[in-house]
């Protein structure tokens, strides 16, 4: 049997005055069938962007990186159907390198496109990288994100074609914004953060009820919900204030939308935070 086709092209940019380079590495793998795949993305510092690929590819990757990094690598485990993509690691370790290194040397910009045809379980570890994750059109069965001192933007612009078991995200000081969580088709969401704002837009075409748990050490939590879904908000043990805007009533320490009992879709949110404001807006 012929191996699945893969492609890697390395392009080198012009030298800087310090004889440092910014290189570009492109790689891809053709999609041979639509059997479910687990994809793991690993990135230290830099920027990460994710979107949907053209139909014939399992993935396409374009990495732009400076001399402070080794080249990205990919690994395909055919028997377990696991694809691991690792962006360039800092030479000598995460904290290595000259503090006065040029901007070119410390550049890392990684763009990854994933298949829209095969069901996916997606895990992302981006310890200190700004992440822009456009999951629109990706057939996700599970999603897990772990970021450190950087920002994360996650969006679903159309309904997920698969049922997601869980949306799981742990974010650091940069905070997180989720747009269109109703399109994720997940029954459960777990989101935790250290310092920074967590913003959840519950818009989308809801297909099922969802239980959302948010844990925040220090930072504001903002939740925007459309009036078409029933919403319940509980903030046990919170030390800061809760601001609610819309048709909500509070009963026994729990805020409920006026349509909660009759709504076809019900979203229950529990926010646990040490310090910070919780804001619930209906619009």
């Amino acid at each position: 049997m012929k191996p699945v086709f893969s492609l890697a092209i390395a392009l080198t940019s012009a030298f800087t005055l310090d004889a440092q380079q910014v290189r570009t590495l492109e790689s891809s793998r053709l999609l041979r069938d639509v059997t479910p795949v687990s994809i793991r993305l690993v990135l230290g510092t830099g920027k990460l962007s994710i979107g949907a690929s053209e139909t014939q590819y399992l993935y396409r990757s374009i990495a732009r990186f400076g001399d402070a990094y080794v080249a990205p690598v990919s690994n395909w485990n055919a028997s377990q159907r696991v694809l691991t993509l690792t962006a360039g690691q800092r030479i000598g370790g995460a904290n290595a390198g000259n503090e006065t290194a040029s901007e070119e040397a410390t550049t890392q910009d990684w763009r990854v496109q994933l298949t829209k045809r095969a069901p996916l379980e997606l895990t992302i570890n981006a310890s200190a990288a700004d992440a822009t994750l456009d999951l629109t059109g990706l057939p996700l069965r599970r999603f897990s994100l772990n970021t450190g001192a950087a920002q994360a933007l996650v969006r679903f612009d159309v309904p997920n074609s698969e049922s997601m078991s869980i949306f799981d995200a742990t974010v650091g000081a940069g905070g997180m914004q989720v747009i269109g969580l109703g399109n994720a088709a997940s029954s459960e969401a777990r989101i935790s953060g250290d310092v920074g704002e967590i913003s959840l837009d519950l818009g989308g075409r809801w297909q099922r009820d969802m239980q959302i748990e948010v844990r925040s050490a220090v930072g504001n939590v903002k939740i925007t919900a459309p009036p078409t879904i029933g919403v319940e908000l509980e903030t046990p043990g919170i030390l800061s204030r809760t601001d609610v805007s819309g048709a909500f009533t509070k009963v026994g320490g729990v805020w409920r939308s006026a349509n909660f009992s009759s709504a076809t879709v019900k979203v229950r949110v529990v926010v646990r935070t040490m310090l910070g404001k919780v804001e619930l807006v209906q619009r």
Side-chain angles (χ1 to χ4, degrees):
M1 179 180 296
K2 294 183 179 179
V4 177
F5 174 81
S6 63
L7 171 67
I9 304 174
L11 302 174
T12 304
S13 72
F15 283 95
T16 69
L17 294 177
D18 295 325
Q20 293 170 333
Q21 302 177 45
V22 175
R23 291 164 288 173
T24 300
L25 181 70
E26 300 184 26
S27 65
S28 63
R29 188 177 192 87
L30 289 177
L31 181 71
R32 293 300 190 188
D33 58 61
V34 293
T35 306
V37 179
S38 294
I39 297 180
R40 301 170 183 169
L41 303 182
V42 181
L43 176 66
T45 59
K47 295 181 180 180
L48 170 64
S49 301
I50 289 181
S53 75
E54 299 173 20
T55 56
Q56 68 266 38
Y57 293 104
L58 173 58
Y59 84 93
R60 296 187 70 187
S61 167
I62 302 176
R64 183 174 178 271
F65 57 100
D67 284 346
Y69 297 92
V70 298
V73 296
S74 63
N75 180 267
W76 169 245
N77 187 318
S79 61
Q80 298 183 10
R81 303 281 301 175
V82 175
L83 172 67
T84 302
L85 302 175
T86 304
Q89 302 299 299
R90 286 294 292 265
I91 296 174
N95 298 319
N98 186 346
E99 292 183 358
T100 62
S102 70
E103 182 179 349
E104 289 83 2
T106 56
T107 292
Q108 180 154 243
D109 189 346
W110 193 24
R111 289 173 287 168
V112 181
Q113 297 176 334
L114 303 176
T115 182
K116 296 185 292 185
R117 296 177 59 200
L120 303 176
E121 291 189 355
L122 179 59
T123 300
I124 301 170
N125 292 311
S127 58
D130 289 334
T132 301
L133 313 177
D134 187 352
L135 306 182
T136 301
L138 298 183
L140 293 171
R141 291 184 173 180
R142 183 182 177 92
F143 174 79
S144 178
L145 170 66
N146 188 356
T147 70
Q151 297 179 341
L153 169 64
V154 181
R155 64 183 309 131
F156 298 86
D157 291 342
V158 299
N160 183 4
S161 60
E162 294 285 327
S163 294
M164 187 187 298
S165 60
I166 188 167
F167 177 100
D168 192 3
T170 300
V171 298
M176 179 180 189
Q177 181 182 11
V178 182
I179 299 174
L181 188 57
N183 284 326
S186 179
S187 59
E188 182 180 1
R190 293 196 302 249
I191 301 168
S192 61
D194 293 332
V195 180
E197 181 173 283
I198 296 174
S199 176
L200 304 180
D201 165 35
L202 305 186
R205 191 182 305 167
W206 284 88
Q207 305 173 42
R208 59 203 300 200
D209 295 346
M210 181 184 286
Q211 178 74 39
I212 302 174
E213 181 177 15
V214 180
R215 294 179 178 269
S216 176
V218 180
N220 297 334
V221 177
K222 181 177 181 179
I223 301 165
T224 304
T228 54
I229 62 174
V231 178
E232 178 182 87
L233 173 65
E234 184 179 359
T235 56
I238 190 170
L239 299 179
S240 57
R241 74 179 189 271
T242 300
D243 290 343
V244 176
S245 176
F248 293 94
T249 57
K250 189 175 184 180
V251 179
V254 177
W255 291 94
R256 289 190 181 93
S257 60
N259 66 335
F260 186 79
S261 60
S262 61
T264 303
V265 172
K266 295 177 172 60
V267 180
R268 294 174 169 85
V269 185
V270 178
V271 178
R272 307 177 193 275
T273 181
M274 295 177 61
L275 292 173
K277 181 178 70 173
V278 178
E279 183 180 2
L280 175 61
V281 178
Q282 187 182 60
R283 63 167 180 239

